[in-house]
Amino acid sequence: MSQAQTTPRRRGGFADIRKAFGGGTSSARQLGILGALVVIVLFFQFTTNGLTLSSINLINVINQYSYILILAIGMVMVIIMGHIDLSVGSVAAFVGIVVAKSMADWNLPWPLAIVLGLVVGALIGAWQGFWVAYVGVPAFIVTLAGMLIFRGANQVVGQSTTLAVPQEFTVIGAGYVPELPLAVPFNVLTLLLGVVGAAWIVVNELRLRARQRRTGAETAPGWVSAVKVVVLGGVILAAAWQFATGRPGTGFPISGVILLVLVIVYSFITNNTTFGRRIYAVGGNRLAATLSGVKDRRVDFFVMMNMSVLAALAGMIFVARSGASGPQDGNGWELDAIAAVFIGGAAVSGGIGTVIGAIVGGLVMAFLTNGLQLTGVDADWQSIIKGLVLLIAVGVDVLSKMSGRPSIIGIWSSRRRARMEPLDPPAVVPTAGTNETSQPVDASRQ
């Protein structure tokens, strides 16, 4: 065999850049959505004479849409499993009024009220998860019923009135990273968050390259890694500077800090834990996952319960930002969260999606809505435009697949399956020439 045949071909140019920015581990569609986000931001930055990326507007975007992005984190896991949750808005509203009542009528301290809200969310999630996982009622029906039940419960508990919350509670929805007593014209802790984020980009890239060298994997050229670090680190530092130099007394919102923590935690869970792999396995092929020993009912249960806990947190953040719990809280939130997930690259059939993709999809909707508002577009047209964006985002991939061209979602799925570790225990394989299997199947799935 010649040297040309044994030596792997060296890839370069755009392929190297794409690899450094996630090629092979994230879909081309997600990269396209990220590009669409950049285009939308730059377009409205130009048409609003610089208002879009101003400190005040960036802070408003985080404050106004953080609860939707939190819902998107849970919703992407639900959709990966092949389910849908229509109850999140009503659950958020119900938890909001319960927490407000607990502080106003029961004199519960606000930290304990937050704990109470999370517990109520977990109980609601366990209730809905039981019907989905162990009774077998489709999640669409269960959560549709939940949407009606908890919307009515919100009206009953709150008596269809608005109930104010204590000033101390509002910090989680309307508060900012505190300022240090230093004579500087910016929020030091906010800027420090940006520096830590940029440093993490550098360290993560160095660790990635070291791991690739140890395993003999193909690595991108050093200049490509340098470009990646400079671009991503520069964006983080620029955003941190904008947040840090806003109106006196402001900085990076506390709701944004909560969102960042959740993104980090859930990205780790979905990408680096056995439970995360089981979510993708069950969503991609439930029968194969069950034959591999995965207790799919248990996964269903915990994913549905987790969604309601995040809905409870989102509801409390919204109430804290508004300063009161009202009867109209949560209306339409489920649609915004679902749209964010699908725009961010999730597949309608399940098995595909990422937390980061859902966040990018949510930011696309957030900046699109914010830009339309800044340019004075009527609310009716805003709904039409957002609906078209959602339809186009999903339709492009479906049409690509139907026309015989490679499906962008399919490419992403095959690459992700290729790098996923095998599930434990190994899949049950029929013995050749018989109807028996090499090991017993857990028929109970419990």
Side-chain angles (χ1 to χ4, degrees), residues 67-68 70-76 78 84-96 121 124-125 128 139 142-148 150-151 303-316 318 329-339:
Y67 59 91
I68 296 297
I70 290 173
L71 290 176
I73 294 173
M75 190 65 74
V76 71
V78 172
I84 204 77
D85 193 332
L86 300 177
S87 69
V88 292
S90 297
V91 171
F94 175 68
V95 171
I124 293 173
Q128 297 193 138
V142 172
T143 58
L144 178 61
M147 180 175 68
L148 300 174
F150 298 110
R151 176 58 59 184
V303 166
M304 297 302 296
M305 185 171 69
N306 173 76
M307 179 71 261
S308 291
V309 171
L310 290 180
L313 177 59
M316 288 187 287
F318 179 82
D329 293 352
N331 282 339
W333 290 10
E334 59 279 347
L335 303 181
D336 289 334
I338 293 169

Side-chain angles (χ1 to χ4, degrees), residues 301-371:
F301 178 84
F302 282 107
V303 166
M304 297 302 296
M305 185 171 69
N306 173 76
M307 179 71 261
S308 291
V309 171
L310 290 180
L313 177 59
M316 288 187 287
I317 288 176
F318 179 82
V319 169
R321 177 178 175 270
S322 303
S325 175
Q328 300 302 318
D329 293 352
N331 282 339
W333 290 10
E334 59 279 347
L335 303 181
D336 289 334
I338 293 169
V341 172
F342 284 131
I343 290 175
V348 178
S349 58
I352 296 172
T354 65
V355 171
I356 298 298
I359 294 299
V360 173
L363 289 175
V364 166
M365 297 298 287
F367 277 101
L368 180 62
T369 303
N370 176 259

Side-chain angles (χ1 to χ4, degrees), residues 42-63:
L42 293 179
F43 172 78
F44 285 117
Q45 174 73 357
F46 174 77
T47 56
T48 60
N49 297 320
L51 284 179
T52 298
L53 293 180
S54 65
S55 299
I56 294 176
N57 191 63
L58 288 177
I59 291 173
N60 287 338
V61 168
I62 296 298
N63 278 330

Side-chain angles (χ1 to χ4, degrees), residues 5-344:
Q5 292 174 306
T6 59
T7 302
R9 182 175 62 88
R10 179 63 179 168
R11 299 173 69 185
F14 179 75
D16 284 327
I17 296 176
R18 185 168 174 270
K19 180 178 180 180
F21 282 90
T25 60
S26 62
S27 69
R29 179 179 171 187
Q30 286 179 326
L31 292 176
I33 294 300
L34 182 60
L37 174 61
V38 173
V39 170
I40 289 172
V41 171
L42 293 179
F43 172 78
F44 285 117
Q45 174 73 357
F46 174 77
T47 56
T48 60
N49 297 320
L51 284 179
T52 298
L53 293 180
S54 65
S55 299
I56 294 176
N57 191 63
L58 288 177
I59 291 173
N60 287 338
V61 168
I62 296 298
N63 278 330
Q64 292 174 5
Y65 297 99
S66 58
Y67 59 91
I68 296 297
L69 297 177
I70 290 173
L71 290 176
I73 294 173
M75 190 65 74
V76 71
M77 299 170 68
V78 172
I79 289 176
I80 289 171
M81 288 288 294
H83 301 313
I84 204 77
D85 193 332
L86 300 177
S87 69
V88 292
S90 297
V91 171
F94 175 68
V95 171
I97 192 62
V98 169
V99 169
K101 275 279 188 180
S102 70
M103 292 184 287
D105 296 349
W106 311 336
N107 297 318
L108 202 65
W110 68 269
L112 292 181
I114 293 176
V115 174
L116 172 64
L118 295 176
V119 170
V120 171
L123 291 176
I124 293 173
W127 162 259
Q128 297 193 138
F130 168 77
W131 285 97
V132 173
Y134 297 107
V135 180
V137 181
F140 180 88
I141 301 301
V142 172
T143 58
L144 178 61
M147 180 175 68
L148 300 174
I149 292 170
F150 298 110
R151 176 58 59 184
N154 168 268
Q155 310 289 337
V156 171
V157 173
Q159 299 179 344
S160 300
T161 60
T162 299
L163 185 62
V165 296
Q167 184 66 30
E168 301 83 12
F169 180 76
T170 62
V171 66
I172 66 171
Y176 302 95
V177 171
E179 293 185 357
L180 297 180
L182 300 174
V184 290
F186 54 83
N187 187 301
V188 176
L189 290 181
T190 295
L191 199 58
L192 183 60
L193 278 176
V195 172
V196 170
W200 180 84
I201 293 293
V202 176
V203 172
N204 187 64
E205 184 66 16
L206 293 176
R207 291 177 58 188
L208 174 62
R209 294 183 66 85
R211 184 166 63 250
Q212 288 174 335
R213 285 194 294 268
R214 286 197 306 270
T215 59
E218 181 183 0
T219 60
W223 69 268
V224 176
S225 292
V227 169
K228 175 183 178 180
V229 168
V230 169
V231 171
L232 296 181
V235 169
I236 291 174
L237 290 175
W241 178 255
Q242 285 294 90
F243 283 109
T245 56
R247 189 175 64 252
T250 64
F252 194 68
I254 296 297
S255 59
V257 175
I258 296 172
L259 174 63
L260 287 177
V261 171
L262 291 176
V263 169
I264 293 171
V265 170
Y266 280 91
S267 292
F268 179 82
I269 289 173
T270 54
N271 293 326
N272 301 100
T273 68
T274 301
F275 181 72
R277 292 197 298 273
R278 287 173 178 173
I279 291 174
Y280 284 100
V282 174
N285 190 323
R286 182 176 291 267
L287 178 60
T290 303
L291 293 178
S292 297
V294 176
K295 296 178 174 58
D296 61 321
R297 292 184 178 181
R298 185 177 301 176
V299 179
D300 284 329
F301 178 84
F302 282 107
V303 166
M304 297 302 296
M305 185 171 69
N306 173 76
M307 179 71 261
S308 291
V309 171
L310 290 180
L313 177 59
M316 288 187 287
I317 288 176
F318 179 82
V319 169
R321 177 178 175 270
S322 303
S325 175
Q328 300 302 318
D329 293 352
N331 282 339
W333 290 10
E334 59 279 347
L335 303 181
D336 289 334
I338 293 169
V341 172
F342 284 131
I343 290 175

